[in-house]
Amino acid sequence: MSRSSAGGRRGAAVSPEWIRNFLSEMLAVEKGGVKLYEKALSELEHSELEDKLSEFLRQTHRHVELCTSMLEAVGGDPDYQSPGAQAAEHKAEGLISTQVPAEMQDLNNIENLVLAETKDHWNWEMLASIAPKIGDPELKRAATKAISEVRRQEKTHVDWNEKTLSKLAMESAMNPASEESESQAGDRDDEMYSKED
């Protein structure tokens, strides 16, 4: 590639319509994340996870604010949903509505967060990649500032949720709850029959 064509490419700005649609999708993913953290906390059995989940929920609320501000900076309507945003909302609702047995709730909720945070993390990395190509100076400043605040948090969210999912899966493998509840139910039946005798 010649130097002039490389320079021309570098100078090209991202389409304002594309960035509006992308920020709309980012906002929907963050809003879905809020709902997923709220669900995980409301159904939590492993109380030792509460502090981290609460911290990540607070940070995700902040990420919603930042995405809203960036969308407004580029002249977007936070209530409008791009096709990508509609898809993101639909996926989040699918994760939220999944029913599992009670003993699997923590495992399922953390797995949902791994999926959502993986997409979230990718979104912020993508924004970091395109930020230098944003033409609007106000949006470029807002995006650069938001990226510096959020990028490391998103990496932490993914890493912690993945490690926690592995820990819960290992716990489940070593101490299967369904077998345990069946044996406890059997013990109760034995007790009941012995009382009747």
Side-chain angles (χ1 to χ4, degrees):
M1 185 186 315
S2 74
R3 186 169 290 175
S4 60
S5 64
R9 261 222 183 121
R10 232 188 341 263
V14 176
S15 142
E17 184 185 0
W18 186 91
I19 194 77
R20 268 194 298 273
N21 286 337
F22 184 65
L23 289 169
S24 173
E25 183 178 336
M26 282 185 73
L27 178 59
V29 172
E30 293 289 1
K31 284 180 173 176
V34 166
K35 290 179 186 173
L36 289 165
Y37 277 110
E38 288 173 344
K39 181 176 191 285
L41 282 160
S42 72
E43 297 175 350
L44 195 61
E45 289 291 321
H46 292 73
S47 57
E48 72 277 11
L49 306 180
E50 187 175 355
D51 287 350
K52 271 292 181 207
L53 290 171
S54 298
E55 177 190 341
F56 293 169
L57 173 59
R58 279 192 304 275
Q59 290 174 343
T60 304
H61 273 296
R62 172 71 179 142
H63 302 172
V64 168
E65 290 171 12
L66 291 166
C67 288
T68 302
S69 298
M70 288 188 290
L71 194 51
E72 287 169 345
V74 78
D77 175 0
D79 295 325
Y80 163 76
Q81 285 197 321
S82 67
Q86 290 171 17
E89 184 179 63
H90 189 67
K91 288 173 193 172
E93 291 304 327
L95 294 175
I96 289 163
S97 65
T98 303
Q99 298 293 311
V100 296
E103 67 272 9
M104 285 182 64
Q105 281 184 328
D106 283 353
L107 188 72
N108 179 64
N109 286 329
I110 297 294
E111 182 179 307
N112 289 345
L113 286 165
V114 168
L115 295 170
E117 289 291 10
T118 299
K119 168 62 171 156
D120 230 347
H121 179 242
W122 181 86
N123 282 347
W124 284 93
E125 291 300 313
M126 184 66 193
L127 184 62
S129 298
I130 61 157
K133 299 178 185 306
I134 294 173
D136 180 277
E138 186 191 344
L139 176 60
K140 186 185 271 192
R141 268 193 305 278
T144 304
K145 194 168 178 229
I147 291 159
S148 69
E149 181 180 335
V150 173
R151 206 172 180 184
R152 188 175 291 129
Q153 290 176 355
E154 289 295 356
K155 177 83 170 87
T156 303
H157 292 187
V158 173
D159 291 347
W160 184 88
N161 279 295
E162 283 181 353
K163 282 184 191 132
T164 304
L165 180 61
S166 296
K167 187 181 125 216
L168 292 175
M170 184 62 78
E171 182 185 296
S172 174
M174 302 314 290
N175 184 19
S178 57
E179 286 176 24
E180 186 182 298
S181 26
E182 282 171 23
S183 69
Q184 286 171 348
D187 292 345
R188 278 196 301 275
D189 289 345
D190 292 345
E191 283 170 29
M192 202 166 68
Y193 291 126
S194 63
K195 282 179 189 165
E196 286 173 1
D197 292 342

